[in-house]
Every structure is written in structure tokens, then in C-alpha cells.
Amino acid sequence: LESGDPVAAGERVADLHPAEIAHLLESLPAADREPAWEVIRDRFHADVLSYLNDDLRAELLHRLSPEELVEAAQQLDIDDLADVLPDMPDAAIQAVLNSLDDQRRSRLDTALAYPEDSAGGLMNLDAVTVRGNITVDVVLRYLRRLGDLPDATDTLFVVSREGRYLGHLPLSELVTAEPGLTVAEVMRRDLDGIPGETPAHDVAKRFEHRDLISAPVVDTDGTLLGRITIDDVVDVIRDEGEHSFLSMAGVQDEEDMFAPVRASARRRVIWLGLNMVAAFVAARVIGLFEASLQQAVALAVLMPVVASMGGIAGNQTLALVIRGLALDQIGPGNTLKLLRKEITVGLVNGLGLSVLIAGVAWAWFGDPALGGVIALALIINLFMAAVAGTLIPLLLRRLGGDPALGGGMLLMTVTDVTGFGVFLGLATLLLL
Amino acid sequence: LESGDPVAAGERVADLHPAEIAHLLESLPAADREPAWEVIRDRFHADVLSYLNDDLRAELLHRLSPEELVEAAQQLDIDDLADVLPDMPDAAIQAVLNSLDDQRRSRLDTALAYPEDSAGGLMNLDAVTVRGNITVDVVLRYLRRLGDLPDATDTLFVVSREGRYLGHLPLSELVTAEPGLTVAEVMRRDLDGIPGETPAHDVAKRFEHRDLISAPVVDTDGTLLGRITIDDVVDVIRDEGEHSFLSMAGVQDEEDMFAPVRASARRRVIWLGLNMVAAFVAARVIGLFEASLQQAVALAVLMPVVASMGGIAGNQTLALVIRGLALDQIGPGNTLKLLRKEITVGLVNGLGLSVLIAGVAWAWFGDPALGGVIALALIINLFMAAVAGTLIPLLLRRLGGDPALGGGMLLMTVTDVTGFGVFLGLATLLLL
């Protein structure tokens, strides 16, 4: 796309959905973003901003002039503007706020009152509402006058005179109901209002369990504030999956693929630095057995095998437990049973593999006792791996942290220390 | 819930949505599933089956008698039945097939003709269709006669007399259009039919990019086969996230949290066994330097530090690349630039951390040259980690495999071999 001439590229971009343009920009190496940006600048669609990852969005917001940002702000839905606004340069924020009329300004304040990852932060302010005392026929005429309905409008929200949420009227119900019935008679009450401060994770669970398309958001008085639509929930679910995946590997989830080297290096060095500390702890344990290592160099050759097997087995348990926590399937009622099951799996695999490992060690160094020691050390380390893999994420969660973040590194520290320590310790006791 | 009496529990369960019952069953330890199962058996809702993970579903299907399965099959939507049927015991499959009337049997054949992870496998057969030559008013009357519309019906599909898909008529359009216009006049053509064999991943991308609620599925002639709804797409997105996460850790993604120990152990031992081979390869590399290790035991103490830092750094790159591949953001156009960026990040962090590591090694063993060697080895290993972390998932993808599956282990082999080999090799050359 970028190898052709800019005009043709501009025309092709004009045909794309804003989400697709955002996807394209995210895929571009940093150096190619400048020309691509110039290509789309003139025909810029403000909605692209709401689809970009945080990194890239902040970058683009700083390239636009305050005038351009004011113009973009006018095109954006208020809820999208509320997401974008905090990333703008300070001068632009003031200019944008001044440019809003009173109604948009007050709706923006409502949207900004809730954190980004809460029901209030996810909601749109475009809910179509009706009153309970009018007839289906009047609703149909009202909608015909309205013309276009907002995207993902599968249901209308029924509110009282004071704006309290009372129930909802699905379009599919509306088109099949008798025209003479009142809204109150045909509306459904099977959908509770979601309080604005509900965490995004719980909102997503509700949508998934009930197969919702849209749902009402209410404040503490039950007043309808807005609605959440499935497309925003899909983003939450996608982000949650990425978050566990990336943070277990020690990468920030909003990291842009072509983030500047300095930013990437700074973010990742934190984990590398912590790992360095952990690795020196393990090295310190090895150092305790310097005399043994000097007597039998085979120990130095074999010790990483025991540590690495523990790391892999522990990671399997860790991933299963982190997934279970993310799906809210682990609680006080089943933790002990899960621990017991993971330990049993660890011991079964430890017993099986220890025979193989003992055989290889015996054949390699011609010492059956060395085989016995490494087998025993492996079984003990797989036991520790199961315990640590189960308990570390639970402890991190209990301490108020994210069970995926840093869990892998803590686990690796446990399995390395156990692997090196038990193998060298047993060898010192039994062989030397 | 299980601690109370069974009757009360049964009544509470009866209030739950099938997805919530499935969630509850998945959270139960294996031993508690038997009584829970007895509790819900009498009021069993066949839809629970379509929400369970593969493991648990297969187990439950084998507990039900063929008669019960025939009854469940009659309650299920054909597309859900198509998912469940292959997991039933053979005797039950025959009984279920015999119990279907001709229409349901032929629809089942359509659903079974496509793989589970394709558009055809995802689709429902409950699309509401209308013809282009009737008026909006007639459509409304038709819908009123139909009564209840299927869930997630946000749009009606317009088909020709031969059943070809022509366009769609959103309910929101229907309720706002002039009653006298024909369907052909108000329908939209902005939604192409999705060919039945389209992979589920591409379907999800289309839904996400276009914020769809439902979309038509067509065969090669353009004949409408059914429709895909957002709730099934949400499952695809959730599963994709879990899949990358779990398979990178060496766990099968459909693994049930309380799967029987034998099944869990058998699945996981594959990865442990492969890792054992990899660990022995690394041990073999260490074995090349037995003489050096005998002379300087400090090398044995420090060598895991170099290997482990490479493993962590490589994992960060690996996770970023696997995510990029999953989002289709990596292609021939940007691979080299991504590789260059990752190498630069690796070298920047390597240079920074090498100073620290050299200092600790010097202080610990009182040998500045040892500090220099470990620093150099670290920089080389972080370089290799960036290269391997970028190229391994790309190679796995090129070979037709899953970039997340086994990538972590291959990477760890590269960083272990490089870490041990380079550190011990440099030490042998420069120190001894």
C-alpha cells in the first residue's frame, strides 16, 4: 500500500472502516507511519482514534494541532471523546472543552466520572428511551420520526418520568407486539440495570452468560445513564485475553508492536532486572555447594535439567490456575482440591520421567547412584512446582495484585532454587 | 450450594441460565460432580451441554442413557446438536439420528458438513428471511404472526426465490422505514454473505472490524445457509485468547480444571518429555566444558544467570510476536523491521544490565575478568533471544503450525544453549 503513490493510497484508505485504518497503522513500522499519516491526514476520520492502542493514540494526538483536535472532538461520540481526552496535550484539552456546547459538556462530565474499566467508562450515551404509558403504535411512529437508530440498538429502554430505568423493549418484541398494547404491558424486566461502577470484567461476564447485545447502565438511584453495547464488551474480552498472555511473559499489554526502542526497553527492563535478582538468588544457592561441584563436575552438567523441568511443569499449573481465576472458577470451596489434583499430576509425571532421566544420567556418567539422586530431585521439584504454580497466583490475587503479572518469574525462582538446591544437596549428602 | 440439601439446591439451579449451570459444573472438583449431577439431572436443560468445555461435555454425554440423549437432542437447536453429536457414545448417535424428522435430519447434515471452527460450523439455522418484493408493512405483519424472534435477531436476511442472499434489513431500519416501501427499496447491501468454509478466526475479525451483531452465511452459489451471531463470535475470541495463553505454557486449551489425573498427566507429559530432551541438549553443551568447570567452579555458579536472562527476554519478544500474528499485524512487509527493533531493544537492555551483572560477579568472586566475560555473554544471549523470539513463531507459522504451541520451549532451548555455551566458551578462551 505504501509503495504506490500517495494519492491512490489515500483513495484506498478512504474506503476502509476506521477500525481497519487503525489496524493498518498499528501494523506499520515506526518509520513508515509518518508518510502513512500524511496520506490519511486530509481525510482523517476521528473514529480511528478510538480504535488505536494507547501508545499509538497518544503519539497521533500529539501530532495533531489543537484546531484539528477540536474538529476531531466534534466528530466523536461523547463516550469515545471521554476515552481520548486524557491523552491529549494540555493545551488541546482546554481548547476542546471550550468548544463543547453545554449539553455535550455535561454528558462528557458524566462519562468522565467513571474509570475507563468500569461499566460507566464503557457506556455509550446514545440509548433510545421510551415511557411506559405510550402504546406500541406510538413508539413505532416515534422511531420512524427519529430516523436512524444508533448501532447495536436491539432494545429500547423504558424509563419513568424521573429517568429511572424500569425495563426494556426489544425491537424484536416491538415488531411482533399488538400495536394497541402499552409499552408497560409488553416490556421485559429480565435485564437489570448495571451500576456504573461495576468492573468491566463483571460486565463482560454478564454479557457472556446472558448473550446480551446491549444493556442499561444506572447510577445508585436507578437513573438510566447510558448503555453498554456488545462491541465494547468484545474489546474487553479481547484485552483480557491479551493481558494474561502478555503480562505472564513480562510485556505490558498496551505495548505497541513498533513502540520506540527507548520506551520498549524501559518497560521490559523492569522484568529483566527482577529476574536478575531472582537468578542471583538461585546462583547463591548453587554457590553453597561449591565444594561438591568441585568434586563432581557431573553435578554442574546435570543441575539445569532438574531446574528446567520444574519450570515447565510449574508453568503448566500456573497457566491453568490463572485461567481459572480469570473465569472466576476458583474460590475457597475448591482451592484445596485443585492443589491436591495438581500435586498428584506432578507426582505422576515426576515418577514417570524420573526413570528416564535416571537412565540417561546413569548411562552418561556411568554412576547409578547419580541417576538415583537426579530422579529423587526431579520428583521433589515437580511437587514444588505444582504447589508453587497453584499458590503463587492465589497469593498474588489475595494481595490485591494481578495473578498473571510476575507470577511466572516468582514461580521460576521457586523451581530454580528448589531444583538446584535439592539436587546439589542430595548429591552432597548421598554421593560425596 | 452442595453442602445444603439436594432439593433446595435443585430449586436454586432451576433459576439459573444454562451458561451459569455449565460454569458451576466446570468449577466443581471431580468428586463433587457426581452429586451435583444427580441434583440437576431431573430438571436438566439440554442447553447446558452446549456451554460446557469439551472434556466435561464428553463425560456427561457418557453418563446419560441413550433415551435421555434422544430427549436432549430434541430440545437442542440443530447447530448445537451438530456440536454435541460427535462426542456422544456410538449407540446414542444412532438413536438420536433415528429420532429426527426429515427436516431436522437434513439441516443437521448441512451443519455437520462444515468443520467446527469454520463459518459453517459456527452458524445457527434460525435466520429469519424475507423476499424483496413485499412491503415493509407486510413484513411487520409477518413478524407479528411469527411471534417470538430468535435471539440476537438484529436484522432480517433478504433472499431471492431460489434462496440466494441479496441483502439485509435491520430491525432498526424496519421500524423506522415508511410502511409502503418494498423490502428491496429499504434493504442494505453493506453486508456480504460469509462463505461457509471461512475460518472462525476470519469471521471474528470481520465481526470486530464492522461491529456486527449477526451476519449471513452462504454456500458457493450464494445460497443463504444460516447466520452467525455475536455470542458465538465472543466464544471464538475468548477461546483464541485462552489458546495462545495456555498453549504457550504447554497446556491444552480445552483442559478441564478438574480433569482426571490420568488425562491431565498424559497431556502434559508430552511437553515435559520434549523439554527433557531440550534440557539434555543444553546439558550436553555444558558437558563440553567439563575441564573448565573443574578449574573454575564460579562458572557453574554463574552460568544459569546468563541462560535465565536470555529466556526471560526471549519470552517477551515471543509473546509480542505471537500476539501480532494472532491479530494479523505481521507480514512480509514489516518482519525485518520488527526483527531489527527487537534486536535493538535486546542490545540496549543487554548493555545496561551487563554492567550490573559484571559488577555483582566481580564483587562476588573478586575477578574483574570474570565480570567482563559474563557481561559479554549476556549481551550475546539477549541478541540471540531477540532473534529467536522473533523468528521461531514466524517459522512455526510458515511450517503450518500454531506459533504459540511449543514456541516457548524451542526458544528456551536456544537461549539455554547459547547462554551456557557462550559463557563457558568465552570463559575457557579468555580466562583459563
Side-chain angles (χ1 to χ4, degrees):
Chain A
L1 202 71
E2 276 64 43
S3 55
D5 63 316
V7 181
E11 269 160 26
R12 290 203 41 196
V13 166
D15 291 340
L16 293 173
H17 189 275
E20 290 169 332
I21 298 177
H23 184 264
L24 212 69
L25 281 173
E26 289 183 355
S27 307
L28 281 182
D32 296 344
R33 282 176 184 163
E34 184 82 41
W37 182 235
E38 290 310 319
V39 165
I40 63 165
R41 186 166 199 150
D42 298 334
R43 323 161 169 264
F44 180 58
H45 199 304
D47 282 344
V48 172
L49 286 173
S50 55
Y51 288 99
L52 284 174
N53 67 40
D54 287 356
D55 262 18
L56 206 50
R57 181 160 79 193
E59 193 192 322
L60 290 195
L61 287 174
H62 282 80
R63 279 165 183 256
L64 289 166
S65 67
E67 294 73 41
E68 285 173 311
L69 285 175
V70 166
E71 207 189 306
Q74 272 151 2
Q75 291 172 37
L76 283 173
D77 286 343
I78 284 293
D79 55 302
D80 289 331
L81 180 58
D83 290 344
V84 170
L85 194 70
D87 291 336
M88 291 190 184
D90 291 339
I93 291 181
Q94 211 42 58
V96 167
L97 289 180
N98 291 339
S99 76
L100 297 175
D101 58 35
D102 283 355
Q103 197 205 351
R104 273 172 77 83
R105 178 67 187 265
S106 94
R107 302 179 88 178
L108 181 67
D109 289 340
T110 310
L112 285 171
Y114 292 96
E116 216 184 319
D117 58 347
S118 70
L122 286 174
M123 75 183 171
N124 306 323
L125 300 167
D126 57 4
V128 179
T129 58
V130 291
R131 298 277 291 283
N133 53 2
I134 61 177
T135 62
V136 166
D137 202 38
V138 173
V139 174
L140 285 171
R141 268 186 287 142
Y142 165 64
L143 293 181
R144 224 160 274 152
R145 236 192 7 255
L146 262 187
D148 235 16
L149 292 182
D151 287 342
T153 296
D154 66 318
T155 193
L156 311 177
F157 299 117
V158 185
V159 292
S160 71
R161 186 201 303 254
E162 297 79 28
R164 296 255 164 86
Y165 169 72
L166 301 175
H168 72 115
L169 178 58
L171 291 187
S172 58
E173 196 77 40
L174 186 67
V175 296
T176 58
E178 282 305 319
L181 294 173
T182 67
V183 168
E185 284 169 316
V186 292
M187 78 174 185
R188 300 207 196 152
R189 287 165 221 271
D190 57 2
L191 191 59
D192 294 334
I194 301 177
E197 61 278 3
T198 310
H201 171 77
D202 295 340
V203 172
K205 228 170 54 177
R206 195 186 291 213
F207 267 74
E208 276 193 274
H209 280 174
R210 300 270 172 182
D211 289 344
L212 302 178
I213 308 292
S214 71
V217 178
V218 295
D219 69 9
T220 42
D221 298 332
T223 304
L224 184 74
L225 296 175
R227 65 180 189 129
I228 297 176
T229 52
I230 181 73
D231 48 309
D232 292 324
V233 172
V234 167
D235 292 342
V236 170
I237 292 171
R238 165 79 71 193
D239 287 350
E240 282 190 348
E242 278 186 14
H243 175 78
S244 300
F245 175 67
L246 291 176
S247 60
M248 192 160 145
V251 184
Q252 278 198 10
D253 47 337
E254 272 292 338
E255 176 156 339
D256 170 26
M257 202 162 65
F258 285 104
V261 168
R262 256 183 65 188
S264 285
R266 203 177 49 231
R267 286 169 179 170
R268 294 196 210 165
V269 81
I270 301 168
W271 290 111
L272 288 170
L274 287 175
N275 182 65
M276 194 175 74
V277 175
F280 273 118
V281 170
R284 188 72 201 81
V285 173
I286 301 172
L288 298 175
F289 300 97
E290 273 191 35
S292 313
L293 287 166
Q294 221 138 17
Q295 280 182 59
V297 76
L299 298 181
V301 174
L302 291 176
M303 68 186 185
V305 175
V306 180
S308 127
M309 296 297 285
I312 297 284
N315 238 332
Q316 291 176 331
T317 299
L318 187 72
L320 200 74
V321 174
I322 290 173
R323 196 231 349 212
L325 284 172
L327 297 178
D328 300 306
Q329 293 192 330
I330 297 179
N334 58 10
T335 303
L336 267 182
K337 285 172 180 163
L338 182 62
L339 180 62
R340 198 163 61 200
K341 179 216 148 195
E342 287 299 319
I343 289 176
T344 317
V345 172
L347 289 179
V348 167
N349 281 337
L351 283 170
L353 292 168
S354 67
V355 178
L356 274 172
I357 284 196
V360 174
W362 181 0
W364 189 348
F365 294 97
D367 180 356
L370 181 64
V373 164
I374 197 172
L376 194 54
L378 181 80
I379 293 168
I380 294 173
N381 205 20
L382 291 199
F383 169 82
M384 276 303 292
V387 174
T390 310
L391 296 186
I392 284 174
L394 293 172
L395 280 176
L396 287 174
R397 161 73 61 103
R398 179 73 63 88
L399 296 173
D402 173 352
L405 199 62
M409 195 159 330
L410 275 175
L411 173 85
M412 210 64 85
T413 309
V414 172
T415 51
D416 276 359
V417 166
T418 311
F420 295 135
V422 168
F423 176 58
L424 295 176
L426 285 175
T428 305
L429 279 177
L430 303 176
L431 298 183
L432 305 174
Chain B
L1 202 69
E2 275 65 44
S3 55
D5 62 317
V7 181
E11 269 160 26
R12 291 204 39 197
V13 166
D15 291 339
L16 293 173
H17 189 275
E20 290 170 331
I21 299 177
H23 184 264
L24 212 69
L25 281 173
E26 289 182 355
S27 307
L28 282 181
D32 295 344
R33 282 176 184 162
E34 183 84 42
W37 181 235
E38 290 310 318
V39 165
I40 63 164
R41 187 167 198 148
D42 297 335
R43 323 164 169 262
F44 180 58
H45 199 304
D47 281 343
V48 172
L49 287 173
S50 56
Y51 288 99
L52 285 174
N53 67 40
D54 287 356
D55 262 19
L56 205 50
R57 182 160 79 192
E59 194 191 321
L60 291 195
L61 287 174
H62 282 81
R63 279 166 184 254
L64 289 165
S65 67
E67 294 73 41
E68 285 173 310
L69 285 175
V70 167
E71 208 188 306
Q74 270 152 4
Q75 292 172 37
L76 283 173
D77 286 342
I78 283 293
D79 56 301
D80 289 331
L81 180 57
D83 290 344
V84 170
L85 193 69
D87 291 336
M88 290 189 184
D90 291 339
I93 292 181
Q94 211 42 58
V96 167
L97 289 180
N98 290 338
S99 76
L100 297 175
D101 59 37
D102 282 354
Q103 197 205 352
R104 273 171 77 84
R105 177 68 186 264
S106 93
R107 302 179 87 179
L108 181 67
D109 288 340
T110 310
L112 285 172
Y114 292 96
E116 217 183 318
D117 58 348
S118 70
L122 287 173
M123 74 183 173
N124 306 323
L125 300 167
D126 57 4
V128 179
T129 58
V130 291
R131 298 276 292 283
N133 54 0
I134 61 177
T135 62
V136 165
D137 201 40
V138 173
V139 173
L140 285 171
R141 267 186 286 142
Y142 165 65
L143 293 181
R144 223 161 274 150
R145 231 186 19 248
L146 262 188
D148 236 16
L149 292 183
D151 286 343
T153 296
D154 66 319
T155 193
L156 312 177
F157 299 117
V158 185
V159 291
S160 70
R161 185 203 302 256
E162 297 79 28
R164 296 254 163 85
Y165 169 71
L166 301 175
H168 72 115
L169 179 58
L171 291 186
S172 58
E173 195 77 40
L174 186 68
V175 297
T176 59
E178 282 306 317
L181 294 174
T182 66
V183 168
E185 285 170 315
V186 292
M187 77 175 184
R188 299 206 195 151
R189 285 164 222 273
D190 57 1
L191 191 60
D192 295 334
I194 301 176
E197 61 277 4
T198 310
H201 172 76
D202 296 339
V203 173
K205 230 171 52 177
R206 196 186 290 214
F207 267 74
E208 275 192 275
H209 281 174
R210 300 270 172 181
D211 289 345
L212 302 177
I213 308 292
S214 70
V217 179
V218 295
D219 68 10
T220 42
D221 298 332
T223 304
L224 184 74
L225 296 175
R227 64 182 189 127
I228 297 176
T229 52
I230 181 73
D231 49 307
D232 292 323
V233 172
V234 167
D235 291 342
V236 170
I237 292 170
R238 167 78 73 194
D239 287 350
E240 282 189 349
E242 278 187 13
H243 176 77
S244 300
F245 175 67
L246 292 177
S247 59
M248 192 160 145
V251 185
Q252 279 199 9
D253 46 336
E254 272 293 339
E255 177 156 340
D256 170 27
M257 202 163 64
F258 284 104
V261 168
R262 257 182 64 189
S264 285
R266 202 178 49 230
R267 286 169 179 171
R268 293 196 210 165
V269 82
I270 300 168
W271 290 111
L272 288 170
L274 287 174
N275 182 64
M276 194 175 74
V277 175
F280 273 118
V281 170
R284 188 73 201 80
V285 172
I286 301 172
L288 297 175
F289 301 96
E290 273 191 33
S292 313
L293 287 166
Q294 221 138 18
Q295 280 182 57
V297 75
L299 299 181
V301 174
L302 291 177
M303 66 183 186
V305 175
V306 181
S308 128
M309 296 297 285
I312 296 285
N315 238 332
Q316 292 176 330
T317 300
L318 187 73
L320 201 74
V321 174
I322 289 173
R323 196 231 350 211
L325 284 172
L327 297 179
D328 299 306
Q329 292 192 330
I330 297 179
N334 59 8
T335 303
L336 268 180
K337 286 173 179 162
L338 183 61
L339 179 63
R340 199 162 61 199
K341 180 217 148 196
E342 287 300 318
I343 288 176
T344 317
V345 172
L347 289 178
V348 167
N349 280 338
L351 284 169
L353 292 169
S354 66
V355 178
L356 275 173
I357 284 195
V360 175
W362 181 359
W364 189 348
F365 293 98
D367 181 355
L370 182 63
V373 164
I374 198 172
L376 194 55
L378 180 79
I379 293 169
I380 294 174
N381 205 20
L382 290 200
F383 169 83
M384 276 304 291
V387 173
T390 310
L391 296 187
I392 284 173
L394 292 172
L395 279 175
L396 287 174
R397 162 73 62 104
R398 179 73 62 88
L399 296 173
D402 173 352
L405 198 63
M409 195 161 327
L410 275 174
L411 173 86
M412 210 65 86
T413 310
V414 171
T415 51
D416 275 0
V417 166
T418 310
F420 294 135
V422 168
F423 176 58
L424 295 176
L426 285 175
T428 306
L429 280 176
L430 303 176
L431 298 183
L432 304 175

